[in-house]
Amino acid sequence: MSDSFNIVLAGVGGQGTLLAGKLFGLVAARLGLDVKVSEVHGMAQRGGSVITYVRIGKRVFSPVIEPGAADFIIAFEELEAMRWAHLLRRGGTLLINTRRTIPMPVALGQAEYPDNIIESILALADGGTSVHAFDAQRLAEEAGSVKAVNFVMTGALSRFIKIDKQIFMDSIQELFSGKKAGLAAMNQHAFELGSAIIEAK
Amino acid sequence: MRVLKEIFLGNEAVARGAYEAGVKVVSSYPGTPSTEITQAVSSYDRVYCEWSSNEKVGMEVAIGASLAGARAMTCMKHVGLNVAADPLFTVSYTGVSGGLVIVVADDPGMHSSQNEQDSRNYARGAKLPMLEPADSQECLDFTRMAYDISEKYDTPVMIRLSTRVSHSRTLTEIHEPMEQKLIPYVKNMQKNVMMPAMAVKRHVVVESRQKQIAADSSDGILENAYRVEEGSKDIGIITSGIAWQYVKEAMPDASVFKLGMVWPLPLDAIRKFAATVKRLIIVEELDPIIETELKAAGIKCEGKELFTLQGEYTPAMIREALSDNKNPLSAFDKSALPLAPGRPPVMCAGCPHKGLFMALSRLKAVVTGDIGCYTLGALSPTNAMDVCVCMGASVGMAHGIDKATDSEMSEKTVAVIGDSTFLHTGINGLINSVYNGSRSTVIILDNSITGMTGHQQNPATGRNIRLEPAPAVDLEALCRSVGVQSVYTVDPADTDASRKTISKAMKEPHVTVIIARRPCALIPTGRGTPEQVVTLDRDKCTRCGACLRIMCPALTKGEDGYPQIDPVTCNGCNLCVRVCPFDALIPGKEEV
């Protein structure tokens, strides 16, 4: 692993991918590396599919991660994992929150939520690719809020990325400075739980 | 001295750049992807900033501020510049006193827009210098530089952003803000009163100014106007902004001519660069502006024969067109993975527009639409929209339908328009409808906020950009004062009553306005309370699916066929309670 990382955060509007993206920005700044975090605004609050790209390295150009160029994908939802899996490079790591968020066409009976998404993904993953699926929402609730799914997922990712855990912890502290300082400890706890779930597997 | 770096969005960096340059007045109308610029400016206490009622007004406020000797800025999205085009073309003639910067954010790929026009056409048309940053650092640096250019050459300066630059966070070095004193006001009618006799003379000034700026850009007098990045001589690429990032990604070895100022072009410098490379390629998203100019100047180049006129570019697109460089290999073959069902944006849980559109759907009304969250009413299941063009257009279009059909369609036609959009340009249409004896019906969806762009205040909300109390336009009184005879107010959550009122209003032989008032479910005044959250009585539920058809994100079909209510998402609007034919959905303790 070099000191460049391409991370895709794929989720649904309202799941906190933007905040997780911002966290990686702070982490990169602490590492003294270049960083680009590309966000999607506008439709994000309205239940749409939302993708955030994080690129960290000595020098980063395009803010968008191309198909096959992501080292990591953090999928906040199963369907979004399937939608964006092709962005992962060979030998990359895919982390999936197994909680489903039903899209409106499925709720209306106009489309089917595919069965066995994890199994399909595992079957198609080539040799060096690693896939980890777990219920991040349960861990977030355990930490204190369903809204902490983003930090659970980031904690899980920290097991695969060569960045000192303390840098993440300090960055979470920085992210929740000021009025929101009370939330830092809870989110750090969520991060720890996410990190531990990978260890336990 | 320690170098201070922030991880700014491109938009936040523009705001910071203006602050550092000593900007005094910033006046804008919100529009994705430009909104965060002015939002960020509002965090700098010493800058006066406002949400203006529309982009034209916003630009005129900035022109006045510049005339009075202050540094000023106005920001908008690409279609907003259409609204502000009238002052734009003539402020080019008057020039400035204090520096005047006009920021416009384009949206290639239409992430959140109704078209993907290229704002560089305006710089060319209005003969104004335009800078195009490629990341947040350049956003900050170019904004500072824009003020210097503006005052040096006596010209407004445009800055063009695009969605990926506006909405990407990158490391940005910040500096201390400069002190700017007001430039003393001097009356100068020859320069500032654009009547024919004066304007004729000013046009000459504009043309020579543009020539001078192009020459100074070519000669390297203007810092950052362009940069040559030496590489292989086989291919030379001319590019700017976000496209430059894609070029660097895809063609790391090519020679690159990076434009910082995209209008006017430094043709002499480009000609010299062209002579050093075997093939000259233009990589520019959207319109062939650079390419057309080069070809007109007799500089041989390739552009749109290789690249599309539509949407965003990618490194892969550039690699495939220009090299044998390989695209990265994916871990998953996209075609082998099952197709993921789409996740279209929907009206939020508790959205007040939902009930109104249910009513319009049941009335089978012809709906002229407008720009805002409620444009989602066009989607399934309500499908209640027939046309949507631009801000404010719904009102005039309904009037046109009335006149074209000798009022035959008017009994089933309505215009729908949000509170902010109505005050933006809808009011002009309403005055016209009344004046010209229309019998059209207009529904103002007053959710007390500018919703789609992320909750900005507007003249009807009673708050200003800094959330301080401000006078609120009385919409009912405003409509009556322009001569609307029938003005009704309804609660859109009460679908039945709304439908009856709309039905009645459409039959009246004059202009009618219905104000459907209920605050957005995402702002404090519109949020439900836990007491209003809905529960299901399984004994009464027949699993008919009526509640699911309102497309509420809080209601999904469980595996057993019964609706599942997500208590976290449910806003307590109780629309589902009203559509349930079997009284199986139980509202909270407090009936709405």
Side-chain angles (χ1 to χ4, degrees):
Chain A
M1 178 75 56
S2 67
D3 52 1
S4 82
F5 317 99
N6 290 336
I7 306 164
V8 170
L9 306 162
V12 180
Q15 283 188 319
T17 59
L18 290 188
L19 200 60
K22 225 172 157 177
L23 176 72
F24 282 109
L26 296 176
V27 167
R30 280 173 188 271
L31 292 168
L33 292 170
D34 192 13
V35 61
K36 287 206 165 93
V37 182
S38 178
E39 307 178 348
V40 179
H41 295 211
M43 299 290 186
Q45 266 171 330
R46 285 151 198 95
S49 168
V50 170
I51 186 161
T52 300
Y53 304 102
V54 179
R55 300 196 64 198
I56 297 173
K58 282 211 179 81
R59 178 79 201 260
V60 176
F61 290 108
S62 167
V64 180
I65 296 172
E66 304 182 65
D71 300 299
F72 303 97
I73 295 180
I74 302 182
F76 286 59
E77 203 272 347
E78 282 189 19
L79 198 59
E80 298 312 307
M82 195 167 86
R83 194 187 312 283
W84 300 107
H86 65 283
L87 297 185
L88 197 67
R89 70 167 166 81
R90 294 197 173 169
T93 301
L94 172 57
L95 301 173
I96 307 173
N97 174 19
T98 52
R99 283 294 174 105
R100 293 177 167 196
T101 304
I102 306 296
M104 205 42 74
V106 173
L108 289 171
Q110 295 162 352
E112 290 274 320
Y113 197 107
D115 288 327
N116 312 321
I117 288 181
I118 308 285
E119 289 78 0
S120 314
I121 287 175
L122 284 170
L124 287 165
D126 76 68
T129 304
S130 72
V131 179
H132 303 267
F134 52 92
D135 184 349
Q137 190 169 321
R138 188 181 59 77
L139 297 173
E141 281 163 3
E142 193 183 324
S145 168
V146 287
K147 292 194 168 170
V149 164
N150 45 5
F151 294 96
V152 172
M153 298 303 288
T154 313
L157 176 81
S158 73
R159 307 288 304 177
F160 301 94
I161 201 162
K162 281 189 180 155
I163 297 174
D164 185 14
K165 192 168 110 186
Q166 196 55 42
I167 290 184
F168 278 106
M169 286 298 173
D170 294 345
S171 301
I172 295 174
Q173 196 77 46
E174 187 182 346
L175 196 61
F176 293 99
S177 58
K179 279 187 217 158
K180 298 174 190 160
L183 293 170
M186 190 270 288
N187 285 302
Q188 284 170 331
H189 184 38
F191 182 93
E192 296 275 14
L193 292 175
S195 172
I197 189 82
I198 297 298
E199 202 158 24
K201 282 169 89 83
Chain B
M1 200 181 83
R2 200 167 84 90
V3 176
L4 273 177
K5 282 195 175 180
E6 295 274 354
I7 302 167
F8 275 143
L9 286 175
N11 283 347
E12 293 167 344
V14 169
R16 177 76 200 189
Y19 168 66
E20 290 180 5
V23 73
K24 177 85 183 287
V25 173
V26 179
S27 44
S28 310
Y29 185 82
T32 314
S34 72
T35 313
E36 299 81 6
I37 305 170
T38 310
Q39 202 85 64
V41 168
S42 75
S43 70
Y44 300 112
D45 288 340
R46 53 192 263 183
V47 183
Y48 171 81
C49 62
E50 68 175 35
W51 290 128
S52 305
S53 52
N54 69 37
E55 293 86 353
K56 178 176 182 291
V57 173
M59 187 174 294
E60 290 153 355
V61 170
I63 292 170
S66 161
L67 183 70
R71 288 192 161 183
M73 178 165 80
T74 180
C75 313
M76 63 206 74
K77 69 181 295 175
H78 58 315
V79 285
L81 189 52
N82 299 334
V83 179
D86 199 356
L88 180 82
F89 277 74
T90 303
V91 73
S92 173
Y93 280 34
T94 64
V96 305
S97 173
L100 175 59
V101 173
I102 298 158
V103 184
V104 56
D106 285 1
D107 190 16
M110 291 178 278
H111 295 272
S112 196
S113 302
Q114 67 269 39
N115 76 26
E116 56 183 343
Q117 68 191 46
D118 187 329
S119 294
R120 292 178 300 165
N121 288 302
Y122 274 107
R124 172 152 69 177
K127 301 167 195 282
L128 290 173
M130 177 182 255
L131 307 175
E132 186 176 21
D135 60 19
S136 302
Q137 186 68 63
E138 287 193 349
C139 282
L140 190 153
D141 296 343
F142 285 17
T143 304
R144 288 172 58 119
M145 190 172 84
Y147 282 100
D148 297 335
I149 295 172
S150 176
E151 288 170 5
K152 179 177 176 188
Y153 295 93
D154 190 4
T155 177
V157 175
M158 301 178 75
I159 294 178
R160 181 203 190 206
L161 306 172
S162 59
T163 302
R164 296 289 178 190
V165 171
S166 284
H167 286 171
S168 291
R169 290 182 186 279
T170 69
L171 287 169
T172 314
E173 192 183 324
I174 60 173
H175 322 81
E176 285 297 311
M178 290 180 239
E179 288 289 338
Q180 291 291 341
K181 289 209 171 66
L182 280 186
I183 296 167
Y185 177 73
V186 180
K187 181 167 176 162
N188 185 346
M189 292 199 291
Q190 292 300 320
K191 181 168 181 287
N192 294 323
V193 181
M194 285 302 95
M195 297 162 75
M198 290 82 144
V200 164
K201 290 179 194 138
R202 290 300 299 174
H203 188 187
V204 179
V205 174
V206 168
E207 297 300 341
S208 70
R209 178 183 74 202
Q210 177 156 273
K211 262 191 199 145
Q212 188 64 48
I213 293 173
D216 288 357
S217 172
S218 261
D219 294 347
I221 292 169
L222 275 174
E223 205 187 335
N224 289 326
Y226 71 88
R227 173 172 81 224
V228 175
E229 297 164 344
E230 300 281 351
S232 152
K233 300 297 171 199
D234 293 334
I235 286 185
I237 298 173
I238 302 180
T239 186
S240 66
I242 194 66
W244 173 79
Q245 304 279 11
Y246 302 146
V247 165
K248 296 301 282 184
E249 198 76 34
M251 305 287 293
D253 302 325
S255 291
V256 175
F257 190 100
K258 180 190 179 291
L259 286 161
M261 183 187 281
V262 292
W263 193 265
L265 293 172
L267 284 177
D268 292 338
I270 288 173
R271 202 173 267 114
K272 278 180 203 147
F273 175 76
T276 66
V277 295
K278 285 185 196 149
R279 264 179 96 186
L280 186 65
I281 313 287
I282 315 301
V283 182
E284 52 187 331
E285 283 180 341
L286 302 180
D287 292 348
I289 308 270
I290 306 171
E291 180 186 349
T292 305
E293 290 302 310
L294 262 57
K295 284 181 173 164
I299 302 170
K300 198 175 155 226
C301 62
E302 301 161 71
K304 293 297 174 186
E305 55 268 65
L306 297 168
F307 299 106
T308 176
L309 288 158
Q310 290 116 48
E312 296 186 285
Y313 284 7
T314 63
M317 209 182 256
I318 297 164
R319 230 178 256 125
E320 283 158 19
L322 300 180
S323 75
D324 301 321
N325 298 347
K326 295 275 183 289
N327 288 326
L329 286 172
S330 294
F332 297 93
D333 176 3
K334 195 178 181 182
S335 59
L337 285 163
L339 197 65
R343 205 182 280 281
V346 291
M347 289 181 189
C348 305
C351 174
H353 302 327
K354 211 183 277 277
L356 200 276
F357 275 91
M358 296 292 290
L360 291 176
S361 184
R362 285 199 50 190
L363 284 167
K364 297 194 166 43
V366 173
V367 179
T368 60
D370 227 296
I371 307 290
C373 293
Y374 46 92
T375 316
L376 294 171
L379 304 181
S380 181
T382 51
N383 301 309
M385 195 167 287
D386 293 75
V387 60
C388 173
V389 177
C390 70
M391 293 285 288
S394 60
V395 182
M397 292 191 294
H399 173 53
I401 287 173
D402 175 58
K403 292 302 175 191
T405 63
D406 299 319
S407 298
E408 223 164 82
M409 277 175 75
S410 302
E411 283 193 16
K412 55 173 186 175
T413 301
V414 294
V416 294
I417 183 164
D419 48 334
S420 190
T421 310
F422 176 70
L423 293 170
H424 176 281
T425 34
I427 179 67
N428 317 50
L430 188 66
I431 293 168
N432 177 67
S433 297
V434 172
Y435 170 55
N436 288 302
S438 189
R439 53 168 300 174
S440 48
T441 298
V442 177
I443 302 176
I444 301 174
L445 301 162
D446 178 12
N447 65 348
S448 308
I449 203 77
T450 310
M452 195 67 170
T453 46
H455 303 114
Q456 286 71 38
Q457 305 297 320
N458 69 55
T461 64
R463 302 260 164 203
N464 67 18
I465 189 171
R466 291 198 159 103
L467 305 182
E468 298 151 344
V473 171
D474 178 336
L475 291 174
E476 282 88 342
L478 173 63
C479 294
R480 286 198 188 96
S481 75
V482 302
V484 178
Q485 290 175 43
S486 304
V487 180
Y488 303 96
T489 305
V490 298
D491 177 358
D494 192 340
T495 310
D496 290 333
S498 297
R499 194 179 68 241
K500 282 174 196 149
T501 305
I502 297 166
S503 193
K504 175 170 178 274
M506 287 196 295
K507 291 188 179 72
E508 292 184 35
H510 47 245
V511 176
T512 51
V513 171
I514 299 157
I515 296 165
R517 178 169 293 129
R518 180 169 272 263
C520 170
L522 299 180
I523 62 174
T525 49
R527 248 175 245 147
T529 62
E531 292 77 40
Q532 294 167 324
V533 164
V534 174
T535 51
L536 178 72
D537 182 342
R538 286 186 162 240
D539 295 336
K540 286 185 179 169
C541 178
T542 65
R543 293 180 279 184
C544 72
C547 58
L548 297 172
R549 282 193 289 275
I550 67 173
M551 283 186 76
C552 175
L555 266 174
T556 50
K557 191 176 177 179
E559 283 180 8
D560 53 7
Y562 286 100
Q564 282 185 328
I565 300 142
D566 175 2
V568 181
T569 315
C570 175
N571 225 297
C573 75
N574 292 353
L575 179 59
C576 59
V577 174
R578 269 184 293 277
V579 300
C580 175
F582 306 103
D583 298 329
L585 291 158
I586 318 294
K589 282 174 239 160
E590 281 179 28
E591 256 302 352
V592 199

